[in-house]
Amino acid sequence: MSKDTILIVDDERFFCNLLQNILQDLYQIVIAKNGKEAIELLTKHDIALILLDIVMPDLNGYEICKTIKQTELYRKTPIIFLTVKNETEDEIKGFNLGAVDYIIKPISPPVVKARVGTQIALSKANKKLQQHSLELEQLVAHRTEELTREITEKQKVYEKLHYLANYDQLTQLPNRNLFNERLAYVYKLAKRNNSSFSLLLIDLDRFKHVNDSLGHHIGDLLLEQVGQRLSTCLRGVDTVARIGGDEFTVTLTELHKKEDAAIVAEKIIKELSHPFEIHGQLIHIGCSIGISSYPNDGENLHAMLKNADMAMYEVKEKGKNAYAFFSSDMTEHANQRMELEKDLYSALLNNELYLNYQPIINLQDETICGVEALLRWSHPKHGQVSPDKIISIAEESDLILKVGKWVLTTACKQISSWHEQGFSDLHIAINMSTRQFEEKADSVTLLKKLIQQNQLPEHIIQLEITENLMLEDSKLILNGLSELKNLGISLSVDDFGTGYSSLSYLRRFPIDTLKIDQSFIRDSNQGSGEDTLVKAILAMGQSLNMKVIAEGVETKEQLMFLQAHGCNYAQGYYFSKPVSANEIEILLNQQGNIFL
Ligand code: C2E
Ligand code: MG
Ligand code: MG
């Protein structure tokens, strides 16, 4: 181990030599005669201790000590003063300047060695202590940094978990969880302040079809866009949430009166009725909104939700794309519908369903060229149930597939029987629910089987689809329709003009016939807007090489108008109401002289 170096500062040579002799065995010694030399040596050597004489000619020991203590690098180097004096006042002065000890001249070698040794050991111990505390400080700083990082990371994980638990990943809107929480809060607040609020339950129309036909990916993108549009319709204080599949809710607070909720509902309906563009495709949907309001429509949260749901179902049933406020009659109505759905199951088994047929007239020779099969239900308790109602109830479950199959089977059997009776040109029009084009319905296979079983020429079957089916514009539906078309079955668009179909849809789908909706015929007296519309549809049909049937013809004037503009076929009370199969046979047998 190398020796520690001691700097001796004294103008008296004798003392320097003496001290050197005493200490040189244990330490390396460097000597300075004055302050200037002392500072120079300090810069050159790593000095462990300074022995500093107080009385010197130029700078005295105190001044040298002051200079050394002001220099950061040597501030901590221990200084022992050498003095001949033994005065307490001087010692205090020295200690105040930073000296660690005094050695009084004449010196005693053991005292010098002991004091020097002690101070060097003390200084080393101090240095070590400082080093330790520095290391400790660094360690603490490092650990604090680590802990801060850990806490930040944990906080982030917590925030993420909180987000996942409360927000819908697709739309980034609050999910059912957060919605329930917020609704509970709004409810409590309204109760306490005697104020009111409204709950809007929004269900997308036709979303299921988009999902089934265009795929879940497109469905997801659509929901995302719906979420964005909904957010833009509302004020900051309103909460919009996605609570499931295609169901959204809006909570409206601070409303002056509950009717104000209608303004928001209208805004939402308008906003969602504009087509959505996804991957270059235009998708039309709509929405049905049920509204319940506090305090009238629910003694608790659950009741409010249930009532909004009921109001929403009422809208769906009445034709969708609208809103309704909950009313107490709806509970009764909903119960009736549930009852009716149950009854419809047994109706299928108990032969309560039957078909009526309405003649379709060829307007060139005014003969019956076909019939449309129309569903009837004679309910044992409620009597006749309208087909619109039967279909809408059945469409809520897979019951529609059973009902649809029953209609197809019965109608095919009937037309086969008429063919056997000799009315071999008669065709039959059968209404199809959109849901009969879902994959699981497998309508193509069923029709193939029915055609074969009943030995029917395919072209006499005409399936009536709605414009909405074409809007789905999916490969599945297009393929299904093309397959039917390839079989030789013909396709017509029912209630044409009431939906959203455009020319491009008509060209893309293998359609043979357009059935102009009866609302246009009803008002088609000369000069009305409808009159122009009917003429336009007729012209369009001709240019697309499609036949046109006019529905709901009730007067001679309407018939003449249609004939004058080249309509191909007509149907309506003017010729005959929908009647039983037997009555059709009578009409067919009178063929030729009934309508003139
Ligand atoms: P749709 O297919 O458009 O049938 C025409 C509706 O208009 C029939 O009502 C018919 O009775 C009525 N109608 C015919 N001529 C006239 C007329 O001159 N004036 C008036 N005011 N009405 C006339 P219906 O039988 O009540 O059927 C209503 C709807 O129910 C049908 O409309 C069709 O969409 C649906 N539907 C009926 N049967 C079936 C079925 O077997 N399957 C499916 N999916 N839907 C069916
Ligand atoms: Mg029809
Ligand atoms: Mg129709």
Side-chain angles (χ1 to χ4, degrees):
M1 221 170 79
S2 67
K3 291 179 184 170
D4 292 316
T5 307
I6 293 178
L7 168 63
I8 301 171
V9 190
D10 201 326
D11 57 325
E12 287 180 64
R13 190 80 202 156
F14 165 75
F15 263 112
C16 293
N17 290 343
L18 186 61
L19 284 168
Q20 188 169 22
N21 281 334
I22 297 168
L23 297 168
Q24 67 189 359
D25 290 347
L26 298 169
Y27 308 99
Q28 176 128 15
I29 308 293
V30 286
I31 296 172
K33 288 196 294 296
N34 51 40
K36 194 169 162 244
E37 278 182 26
I39 302 293
E40 260 175 40
L41 288 170
L42 272 169
T43 61
K44 286 187 189 146
H45 300 273
D46 181 16
I47 303 295
L49 183 131
I50 304 167
L51 288 169
L52 181 57
D53 188 19
I54 293 178
V55 186
M56 281 189 287
D58 298 331
L59 279 178
N60 68 26
Y62 296 133
E63 281 159 292
I64 297 171
C65 178
K66 216 193 247 171
T67 313
I68 291 172
K69 290 294 165 193
Q70 278 167 0
T71 312
E72 181 58 34
L73 216 60
Y74 322 120
R75 202 166 51 81
K76 290 194 176 140
T77 312
I79 297 174
I80 299 178
F81 277 126
L82 302 167
T83 176
V84 282
K85 293 178 186 169
N86 189 7
E87 284 179 19
T88 321
E89 207 174 292
D90 280 351
E91 280 182 25
I92 292 171
K93 188 175 178 189
F95 285 129
N96 283 344
L97 284 172
V100 291
D101 209 350
Y102 270 84
I103 293 175
I104 313 288
K105 296 178 187 176
I107 51 176
S108 134
V111 171
V112 169
K113 272 188 185 168
R115 295 207 165 169
V116 165
T118 308
Q119 288 308 330
I120 285 186
L122 212 63
S123 157
K124 278 187 180 166
N126 260 342
K127 256 189 207 157
K128 233 183 206 163
L129 207 65
Q130 270 171 12
Q131 183 63 27
H132 274 308
S133 69
L134 195 73
E135 277 170 13
L136 206 66
E137 262 171 37
Q138 280 172 347
L139 210 68
V140 169
H142 180 67
R143 188 68 194 124
T144 311
E145 206 175 286
E146 266 180 7
L147 276 175
T148 315
R149 206 177 319 122
E150 271 171 35
I151 291 169
T152 318
E153 268 163 26
K154 279 204 177 121
Q155 179 74 14
K156 267 191 200 151
V157 171
Y158 170 77
E159 275 167 17
K160 175 102 191 165
L161 281 177
H162 181 266
Y163 191 81
L164 286 175
N166 290 295
Y167 287 86
D168 167 44
Q169 300 313 292
L170 209 58
T171 57
Q172 315 305 325
L173 294 176
N175 63 11
R176 185 181 276 276
N177 208 12
L178 188 57
F179 160 72
N180 282 339
E181 225 170 78
R182 292 203 181 158
L183 188 64
Y185 175 74
V186 167
Y187 191 85
K188 246 191 216 161
L189 215 64
K191 217 170 173 176
R192 190 186 324 142
N193 301 343
N194 275 336
S195 59
S196 62
F197 72 90
S198 291
L199 175 67
L200 272 60
L201 190 73
I202 306 162
D203 188 280
L204 303 184
D205 300 333
R206 303 170 23 78
F207 178 74
K208 188 181 175 316
H209 295 298
V210 172
N211 232 358
D212 288 351
S213 50
L214 301 181
H216 289 262
H217 174 58
I218 301 287
D220 284 355
L221 293 173
L222 180 62
L223 287 172
E224 226 179 290
Q225 288 195 19
V226 168
Q228 282 162 11
R229 285 201 198 173
L230 284 177
S231 303
T232 59
C233 289
L234 301 171
R235 306 166 303 169
V237 288
D238 307 327
T239 302
V240 56
R242 178 176 171 232
I243 58 166
D246 61 344
E247 271 193 343
F248 294 82
T249 54
V250 171
T251 319
L252 302 172
T253 52
E254 296 170 29
L255 291 183
H256 297 299
K257 46 189 188 315
K258 82 171 197 184
E259 284 69 26
D260 288 350
I263 299 173
V264 180
E266 273 166 19
K267 205 166 156 194
I268 292 174
I269 290 169
K270 192 168 164 218
E271 196 60 42
L272 298 189
S273 65
H274 301 305
F276 289 80
E277 193 183 335
I278 294 170
H279 291 333
Q281 264 197 81
L282 288 184
I283 299 177
H284 297 260
I285 55 162
C287 69
S288 303
I289 305 178
I291 309 172
S292 64
S293 304
Y294 180 85
N296 291 337
D297 304 338
E299 64 278 13
N300 56 40
L301 277 186
H302 178 72
M304 279 203 65
L305 260 171
K306 202 180 97 205
N307 292 341
D309 195 53
M310 211 174 281
M312 189 270 289
Y313 264 98
E314 181 95 353
V315 176
K316 289 258 181 221
E317 198 188 317
K318 287 197 174 141
K320 307 180 178 175
N321 213 33
Y323 67 89
F325 282 99
F326 169 77
S327 77
S328 49
D329 317 339
M330 287 179 184
T331 319
E332 176 62 14
H333 192 182
N335 290 341
Q336 276 177 10
R337 271 180 77 88
M338 261 165 59
E339 193 73 12
L340 222 52
E341 184 179 343
K342 209 169 73 213
D343 292 350
L344 189 52
Y345 270 102
S346 30
L348 271 165
L349 304 171
N350 301 339
N351 292 329
E352 288 165 22
L353 299 183
Y354 61 96
L355 293 180
N356 264 351
Y357 301 88
Q358 187 177 34
I360 297 170
I361 313 301
N362 181 335
L363 290 187
Q364 261 180 358
D365 56 11
E366 299 195 6
T367 57
I368 302 176
C369 59
V371 292
E372 176 175 3
L374 291 159
L375 181 61
R376 298 290 178 260
W377 178 13
S378 179
H379 189 285
K381 209 160 85 198
H382 308 301
Q384 287 296 326
V385 182
S386 90
D388 284 319
K389 196 165 192 171
I390 307 173
I391 299 302
S392 87
I393 289 175
E395 277 180 341
E396 278 170 25
S397 67
D398 282 351
L399 197 54
I400 186 64
L401 306 183
K402 285 202 170 75
V403 173
K405 186 173 175 186
W406 180 87
V407 171
L408 282 169
T409 311
T410 313
C412 285
K413 227 186 256 169
Q414 183 57 61
I415 192 74
S416 162
S417 150
W418 284 328
H419 278 211
E420 275 168 20
Q421 289 171 44
F423 307 113
S424 52
D425 290 335
L426 198 67
H427 73 251
I428 187 144
I430 305 170
N431 293 286
M432 297 287 280
S433 156
T434 310
R435 295 212 36 212
Q436 286 175 273
F437 290 90
E438 285 172 14
E439 214 165 358
K440 63 182 167 196
D442 202 7
S443 296
V444 177
T445 312
L446 175 66
L447 275 155
K448 269 188 200 163
K449 200 172 99 190
L450 290 172
I451 287 166
Q452 207 184 23
Q453 270 174 1
N454 296 292
Q455 297 179 342
L456 295 172
E458 296 80 2
H459 70 271
I460 59 101
I461 298 177
Q462 186 161 61
L463 298 181
E464 295 192 0
I465 60 167
T466 62
E467 280 176 285
N468 289 345
L469 187 74
M470 292 194 293
L471 278 184
E472 264 148 44
D473 198 10
S474 78
K475 281 235 152 50
L476 188 76
I477 288 173
L478 196 58
N479 288 347
L481 293 177
S482 304
E483 251 187 284
L484 291 169
K485 181 83 189 136
N486 290 341
L487 274 181
I489 288 173
S490 70
L491 299 170
S492 58
V493 183
D494 205 353
D495 306 336
F496 185 74
T498 56
Y500 294 103
S501 59
S502 65
L503 262 179
S504 68
Y505 285 120
L506 285 181
R507 275 221 312 275
R508 209 158 338 134
F509 286 84
I511 302 298
D512 305 276
T513 311
L514 302 177
K515 291 190 81 167
I516 311 178
D517 189 65
Q518 46 181 281
S519 59
F520 302 119
I521 306 300
R522 199 180 306 130
D523 304 321
S524 67
N525 50 325
Q526 293 286 350
S528 68
E530 264 66 18
D531 134 45
T532 326
L533 236 135
V534 171
K535 281 193 263 183
I537 297 174
L538 287 169
M540 186 171 78
Q542 271 163 14
S543 67
L544 290 171
N545 222 1
M546 291 175 187
K547 300 280 186 232
V548 179
I549 304 182
E551 280 190 287
V553 178
E554 294 184 353
T555 65
K556 185 152 180 83
E557 289 70 38
Q558 290 165 350
L559 171 64
M560 283 163 57
F561 169 79
L562 291 163
Q563 277 176 319
H565 292 93
C567 182
N568 309 95
Y569 308 100
Q571 201 180 334
Y573 294 171
Y574 178 72
F575 309 105
S576 166
K577 288 197 166 178
V579 292
S580 69
N582 285 341
E583 285 169 281
I584 289 288
E585 278 162 35
I586 298 171
L587 290 175
L588 287 170
N589 284 317
Q590 294 171 346
Q591 190 73 277
N593 52 17
I594 46 171
F595 304 121
L596 302 173

